[in-house]
Amino acid sequence: MKGGFRKSMTWLHTWSSLVVIWVLFAIFLTGTLSFFRAEITHWMTPEHHISARTESPVLMATNYLQSVAPFGESWQISLPDSRSPVLGVNWLAEGEERQRRRGARAVIDPVSGTAIEDARETAGGNFLYRFHFELYGVPRSVGRWIVGIASMLMFIAIISGVIMHRKIFADFFSFRPGKKTASWVDAHVLGSVLALPFHIMITFTGLFLLAGTLLFWQGGNERGGQQGQNANRGHASEEQREERAQAEKPSSQREIVSLNMNAIYLEAESLLGQPISDITISKPMTHEAEVTFRGSEKSSLSHFRGGTPEVTYNVKGELIKENFPAGAEGPIATTYGVLRSLHEGHFADVLTRWLLFFSGVLGTVMVGSGALLWSQKRERQQAGKPGYEVVSALNLAGIAGLFVALGAYFWANRLVPAGIDGRADWEIIIFFCSWLACILHSVFLRQRHGWLLQLAAAGLMFLLLPVLDALTSPVGLVAATTAGDWVRLSFDFVSLLTAAGLWAAAYFVLSKGRKSRARRNSVSNKKGKV
Amino acid sequence: MTLLALLLIILGFIHLSASTRASFKVFFGRGRPQTGLRNWLHIVGYMYLIAALLPCMSGWNFQMAIVVWLGLLHVGAVGVTLMLTYSPGLVRRLWLWGCLGRLGKPFLPKASN
């Protein structure tokens, strides 16, 4: 670490990121996908695809609820929205206490008006989401430590990277393809400098969310970062519990009272001034029934959960309560809420979610190109040395291999039979088995052929995913277009884009190999002539 | 609104890129940016970027507008960089049609090079 300040920063940047770079790549990639967690789960539950875009969903849901739980304690209807285009209902049967789970749940088939049964059990987007902050197969706290340490090193890498970059403004817009190391440097800088605000935000907030786990001396707190959240939730639910206790005074006898839902719905929508995402009906079909409509847009960044406006009507259709939250209470709750919702994109509408996704892709490009840059720079001097070979094998398995594993995960979702026990686990097992296969493969074939093979395999899987989707879902892609199931179609579109990217990378590896072989041939020819 | 904001951001970044040595040639044929011109392009470029906040504000509330604006900045910067590499003709056309910074050039004192 001799030399000037900038030189020592370069050393720090290189080594602090290299030790965890493959973990960081996996975190960035799965984390980026987690912005679309609900959407991925929708794609991965093909049985629900027929529920997309129901006409008159409120009527259909209430009819269904009347048939299954006419005197239930409460009903809840989640209307189709931009993230999950299915019509779902939950209910609590008579005398049932509200537990942690929301009671029975069903997704409604718009054709028959009954529940869709035998929907496959899937790990869905939740697996990717959980994997990106607590890994898998290790105890939660250990996984969170590893991710926390990795993100701390990432933060160090960001800061030292900014310092070591000599011409941050002069090179701001430059990308020079076809120039070997310089091109990799440019790609790395393109991914990092242009999205620097996002990287700082996502790393800092990520660290903040894991802070509880990393401060290990607080002792015995396995859930770490969730403590604050639980405290918040506990606070909120206590109030709710009191309210509920008041509401649950011995009720008068039951008699069927029907509500004019449509009229109230329209009024609530105009009052909220935004689409309604949820309807809760307590004590349905009695004189004490109350209907609460919840909007879909948050009023402020400081809420990570809740924060959407609500209006409540009684059985006569009179407005009895309205709640338009302005922001979280108190500076600490506000800070926590803002940092958390920035990281998790709770506030995001469709456009913002795509913007976050795009920035996440840039982050993935940054980490991936950084890893490749390390070996590109040292190829001449160090090829054949154990350290270099370990890094290049891990690069292959960590980057191309992860894409193969993801492709296999989505394929497994459609090909593993729907009814078998522990189905969700099978998807995860297949994910890790294919990743393991890639790791073994890259131990033996870590050069050009290894890259070609894994990139092509992943490219093929992602290219054919839309075909697989069309074949194994009860709703064809054309029908999905007419029904407006954009969530599913976007998934297929992004999968095609991913395939294009992977094939482009494979083509790059192929042409680079040809060039170097041609050069080697010309050099040996010259030698022969001499 | 989003497209308007994105367009303004792209034009803003084109101003900023015109002021760097690497891409100066795309816009002015030859030479390197002089201090006066560079400062002028910076000012106009930043004005464009700030102006892009207005359409964001009209579509979202203040907090969200900032987030959307920052997200669009990322998209715009990457877009301009890729355009400069793969389609400099398009950038030049945008510069001729949409960039007010060009108009200020004749009025700037010419420093001897």
Side-chain angles (χ1 to χ4, degrees), chain A residues 169-170 172-173 175 177 190 194-195 197-198 298-301 342 347 349 351-352 355 358-359 362, chain B residues 2 13 16-17 20 60-61 63-64 67-68 70-72 74-75 77-78 80-82 84-86:
Chain A
F169 292 109
F172 200 81
F173 297 102
F175 178 59
L190 186 83
L194 296 189
F198 172 81
K298 288 182 189 289
S299 52
S300 136
L301 273 188
L342 273 177
F347 57 88
D349 54 10
L351 173 77
T352 324
L355 289 174
F358 177 78
S359 307
L362 285 181
Chain B
T2 318
F13 275 128
L16 294 180
S17 74
T20 62
W60 288 269
N61 66 39
Q63 299 175 346
M64 282 288 294
V67 177
V68 172
L70 276 169
L72 289 174
H74 295 170
V75 176
V78 172
V80 169
T81 309
L82 293 181
L84 275 170
T85 309
Y86 293 104

